[in-house]
Amino acid sequence: MAVPPHELARRLQQFKDACRQAGVKLTHQRMEIFREVAQTGDHPDAETIYRGVRERIPTMSLDTVYRTLWLLSDLGLITTLGPPRERTRFDANLSRHHHFVCVRCGVTLDFYSEAFDELKLPQSVMALGHVETTHVEVRGVCQRCASKKQAKPRTSRKKETKSWLRN
Ligand SMILES: [Zn+2]
Ligand SMILES: [Zn+2]
């Protein structure tokens, strides 16, 4: 799922500004790795990003991709989805948004909702720790998967609210 050109341009500009502010050198490799994350709405994992970048920079190593992704993540220039997992997915959309996750293919798509941005958390969450951001994850079957099989797509969609504690 490609991001529209104006949105990609906006993300690249935001990235350049953020690098300058953070005092991070804007190398060609970093730029291309960020571009790979930014140009898709799919929230790719590191290996997918690596395969994409290698088409433009054949000398790129997977190790460099990992190190760069975690550097950008540490600097807040990209975010990761959820708590650390085996295959972390990366997100270049720094605007406030929420996720639709396909339970069949795992694709993660962005959506926006002012109502969700203002979700009031139950008191029980506050007891768990200091909340910094709230993000709603909707799980279901994406349109691509739903149209693939003759089998009826599952209709029960579970909505979960998760708050990631970041520092
Ligand atoms: Zn799917
Ligand atoms: Zn996202």
Side-chain angles (χ1 to χ4, degrees):
M1 242 195 127
V3 161
H6 67 275
E7 171 63 12
L8 177 59
R10 197 186 65 78
R11 290 179 182 187
L12 291 173
Q13 190 54 52
Q14 195 178 22
F15 177 68
K16 287 179 197 164
D17 294 344
C19 279
R20 203 175 307 127
Q21 270 190 349
V24 175
K25 221 172 125 194
L26 197 62
T27 63
H28 179 58
Q29 288 197 336
R30 284 175 184 162
M31 193 67 198
E32 287 306 309
I33 290 168
F34 179 81
R35 182 195 304 278
E36 195 61 33
V37 187
Q39 72 187 4
T40 167
D42 290 351
H43 305 80
D45 61 29
E47 276 170 40
T48 308
I49 295 164
Y50 167 64
R51 281 197 298 274
V53 174
R54 266 192 71 136
E55 285 176 18
R56 299 192 296 277
I57 310 179
T59 54
M60 180 72 75
S61 73
L62 181 59
D63 186 54
T64 302
V65 170
Y66 269 110
R67 274 189 291 110
T68 305
L69 288 169
W70 290 116
L71 170 74
L72 299 181
S73 167
D74 284 346
L75 292 166
L77 301 178
I78 55 174
T79 58
T80 56
L81 269 54
R85 291 176 205 167
E86 241 172 72
R87 297 184 67 168
T88 302
R89 286 167 167 264
F90 296 86
D91 194 344
N93 184 358
L94 295 180
S95 305
R96 189 81 196 267
H97 69 283
H98 306 276
H99 287 138
F100 177 93
V101 180
C102 177
V103 295
R104 293 210 186 133
C105 68
V107 72
T108 301
L109 305 168
D110 294 339
F111 70 92
Y112 301 87
S113 162
E114 282 181 23
F116 285 171
D117 292 349
E118 282 153 25
L119 263 191
K120 262 198 129 346
L121 295 173
Q123 205 56 39
S124 56
V125 176
M126 313 301 174
L128 301 176
H130 172 69
V131 175
E132 292 189 351
T133 60
T134 306
H135 147 259
V136 175
E137 184 174 292
V138 177
R139 291 176 170 262
V141 177
C142 76
Q143 290 192 355
R144 208 191 303 166
C145 288
S147 63
K148 233 185 267 173
K149 289 231 169 172
Q150 310 93 314
K152 269 193 242 156
R154 271 186 264 166
T155 47
S156 64
R157 288 180 182 180
K158 206 169 82 188
K159 197 171 79 183
E160 293 172 16
T161 306
K162 293 178 180 169
S163 306
W164 313 125
L165 306 178
R166 296 201 181 110
N167 45 25

